[in-house]
């Protein structure tokens, strides 16, 4: 019969985008669509594909008869509830960090390693972190062409990576400095934020308005952040390159949505910009927007151009002058879409097309 799908965390920042995606893509004719959230949000109604749904509270019974459960909730909730959903018979596609590095859980980007959905001993498939995901379609193509060996990346991450809380904070900070000729020193900005009544407690380690903050996620050993380690570990796992050399610096910038990355990638074989361009042009989930000589002026993607878009945008593609077999490029991906809800949904679509659920 037609599979039943559940959206867990349906009322959150990513869950809301998930519902937009389900409304826009008719690819899978779901039997039942079940919306699940915390007891606090239960009882709310949300229209999906023209039908009004009442949000159910998270409980073991909520997963009865569910074929695929897509989880968009914090790590601790996924860790606790994904196994419950599996126990009740569902296959879980989890967008938290709880299972990504578990060797028994495939970490999937459908256009790079989609066939891995079939090997899921725990009944769970993980969706990568949005920063890793934003560059993965492009890197997957280049790896196929040239054989990836080393990866050096700097990220320019949007505030919505910190959830609705991050978006609210950035907007409040911008409001607090707008039109006030606030000085450009950290103290000046902090003073303006305090004067506007913003709490000192913030999802960001420093003021984000008029600034850039090289700190995403939590503190890990030897000065690394959790986000930087995720980029390293997840890239290795997705590309099946356990020895890949990776170094990342993750930076929060005053952008609401869409993560960008400057990528410096070194390959085992000789690279050519022409061949890389051709490969990107053939990839359905990549848009190459790269014309330094355009008559109207240099053309490349910026995060704002990509908000709400499904594909990853690539620009500024260059062959490194001083590093053999190396390409440099700039990539932008909507962190809430391909970076989160869209990839999760595409994994669910892949599961259905392998007919490995709902039979
Ligand atoms: C971030 N990738 O941008 C993280 C969280 N999803 O903060």
């Amino acid at each position: 019969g037609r599979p039943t799908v559940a959206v867990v965390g349906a009322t959150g920042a990513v869950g809301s985008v998930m519902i937009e995606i389900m409304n826009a893509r008719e690819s899978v004719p779901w039997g039942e669509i079940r919306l699940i959230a915390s007891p606090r949000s239960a009882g709310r109604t949300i229209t999906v594909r023209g039908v009004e749904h009442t949000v159910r509270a998270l409980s073991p019974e909520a997963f009865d008869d569910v074929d695929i459960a897509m989880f968009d909730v914090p790590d601790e909730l996924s860790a606790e509830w994904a196994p419950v959903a599996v126990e009740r018979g569902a296959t879980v596609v989890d967008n938290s960090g709880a299972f990504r590095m578990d060797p028994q859980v495939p970490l999937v980007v459908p256009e790079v390693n989609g066939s891995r959905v079939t090997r899921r001993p725990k009944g769970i498939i993980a969706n990568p972190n949005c920063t890793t995901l934003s560059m993965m379609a492009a890197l997957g193509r280049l790896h196929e062409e040239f054989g990836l060996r080393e990866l050096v990346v700097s990220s320019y991450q949007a505030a919505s990576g910190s959830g609705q809380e991050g978006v609210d904070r950035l907007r409040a900070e911008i409001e607090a400095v707008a039109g006030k000729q606030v000085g450009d020193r950290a103290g000046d900005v902090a003073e303006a934020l305090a004067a506007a009544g913003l709490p000192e407690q913030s999802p960001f380690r420093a003021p984000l308005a008029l600034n850039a903050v090289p700190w995403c996620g939590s503190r890990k050993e030897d000065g690394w952040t959790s986000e930087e380690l995720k980029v390293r570990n997840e890239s290795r796992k997705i590309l099946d390159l356990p020895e890949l050399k990776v170094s990342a610096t993750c930076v929060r910038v005053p952008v609401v949505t869409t993560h960008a990355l400057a990528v410096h990638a070194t390959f085992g074989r000789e690279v050519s910009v022409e061949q890389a361009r051709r490969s990107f042009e053939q990839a359905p989930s990549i848009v190459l927007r790269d014309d330094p000589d355009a008559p109207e002026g240099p053309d490349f993607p910026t995060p704002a151009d990509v908000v709400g878009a499904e594909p990853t945008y690539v620009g500024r593609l260059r062959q490194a002058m001083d590093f053999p077999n190396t390409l440099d490029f700039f990539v932008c991906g909507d962190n809430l879409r391909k970076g989160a809800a869209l990839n999760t949904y595409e994994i669910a679509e892949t599961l259905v097309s392998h007919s490995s659920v709902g039979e």
Side-chain angles (χ1 to χ4, degrees):
R2 291 181 168 188
T4 290
V5 70
V7 182
V8 187
T11 56
V14 176
S16 312
V17 173
M18 179 64 83
I19 287 164
E20 278 176 40
I21 289 168
M22 294 179 78
N23 285 332
R25 286 165 90 106
E26 297 279 315
S27 49
V28 180
W30 299 109
E32 187 192 335
I33 294 172
R34 203 174 291 174
L35 307 183
I36 300 175
S38 66
R40 192 164 33 87
S41 303
R44 276 172 58 178
T45 57
I46 296 175
T47 302
V48 193
R49 295 186 174 176
V51 179
E52 194 169 272
H53 289 75
T54 303
V55 176
R56 294 173 58 157
L58 190 54
S59 74
E61 298 72 37
F63 294 103
D64 283 344
D65 306 315
V66 169
D67 295 295
I68 300 177
M70 303 185 292
F71 275 66
D72 289 307
V73 298
D75 295 1
E76 322 77 66
L77 277 179
S78 278
E80 182 182 349
W81 287 92
V84 175
V86 172
E87 176 97 343
R88 297 266 160 168
T91 296
V92 169
V93 186
D94 181 43
N95 187 31
S96 83
F99 301 100
R100 287 179 188 141
M101 294 315 297
D102 184 327
Q104 307 230 60
V105 172
L107 183 64
V108 174
V109 181
E111 63 269 53
V112 180
N113 64 351
S115 63
R116 298 221 195 124
V117 299
T118 52
R119 293 193 302 275
R120 43 174 205 275
K122 286 200 169 155
I124 300 170
I125 298 166
N127 192 66
N129 172 34
C130 47
T131 309
T132 312
L133 247 179
S134 300
M135 63 177 174
M136 223 13 87
L139 277 178
R141 289 305 287 214
L142 295 178
H143 174 48
E144 234 173 81
E145 294 287 341
F146 309 118
L148 186 61
R149 290 277 170 80
E150 295 175 20
L151 187 58
V152 181
V153 299
S154 298
S155 71
Y156 304 76
Q157 295 186 217
S160 58
S162 295
Q164 193 56 46
E165 196 198 354
V167 175
D168 295 343
R169 175 74 189 197
L170 174 60
R171 289 201 183 278
E173 288 192 6
I174 290 173
E175 177 92 32
V177 300
K180 301 203 180 80
Q181 304 299 323
V182 170
D184 47 8
R185 292 164 194 251
D188 302 330
V189 177
E191 209 172 280
L193 302 187
L198 266 69
E200 219 173 292
Q201 184 70 31
S202 160
F204 310 116
R205 187 66 196 94
L208 193 54
L210 309 179
N211 212 2
V213 182
W215 190 266
C216 299
S218 56
R219 185 165 62 87
K220 296 291 175 188
E221 54 291 343
D222 298 326
W224 294 98
T225 63
S226 57
E227 195 77 352
E228 290 155 354
L229 299 188
K230 286 177 188 179
V231 168
R232 176 169 180 259
N233 296 332
E234 296 180 21
S235 297
R236 289 174 159 194
K237 182 168 175 178
I238 297 162
L239 295 168
D240 201 13
L241 291 171
E243 308 287 317
L244 182 65
K245 291 184 181 179
V246 184
S247 203
T249 301
C250 291
V251 182
R252 194 75 68 188
V253 292
V255 161
V256 175
T257 307
T258 295
H259 287 352
L261 296 109
V263 181
H264 175 90
T266 300
F267 300 88
R269 295 191 285 280
E270 203 178 313
V271 296
S272 101
V273 166
E274 259 330 294
Q275 196 179 336
R277 290 182 72 97
R278 269 200 306 280
S279 179
F280 288 148
E281 278 160 1
Q282 285 160 10
S285 66
I286 295 173
V287 174
L288 181 66
R289 184 170 161 189
D290 188 25
D291 188 357
D293 305 317
E296 331 66 75
D299 193 40
F300 45 77
T302 69
D305 296 317
V306 173
V307 176
E310 297 196 345
T312 300
Y313 282 64
V314 178
R316 304 293 330 279
L317 180 60
R318 289 149 293 155
Q319 184 155 354
M321 288 193 278
D322 299 322
F323 300 86
N325 302 351
T326 300
L327 293 169
D328 284 283
F329 58 95
F330 190 68
V331 56
C332 298
D334 183 325
N335 56 307
L336 304 177
R337 283 181 187 264
K338 184 61 179 175
L342 176 62
N343 196 70
T344 300
Y345 193 69
E346 287 172 338
I347 293 172
E349 289 176 334
T350 308
L351 277 167
V352 172
S353 72
H354 279 68
S355 4
S356 59
V357 295
E359 294 303 302

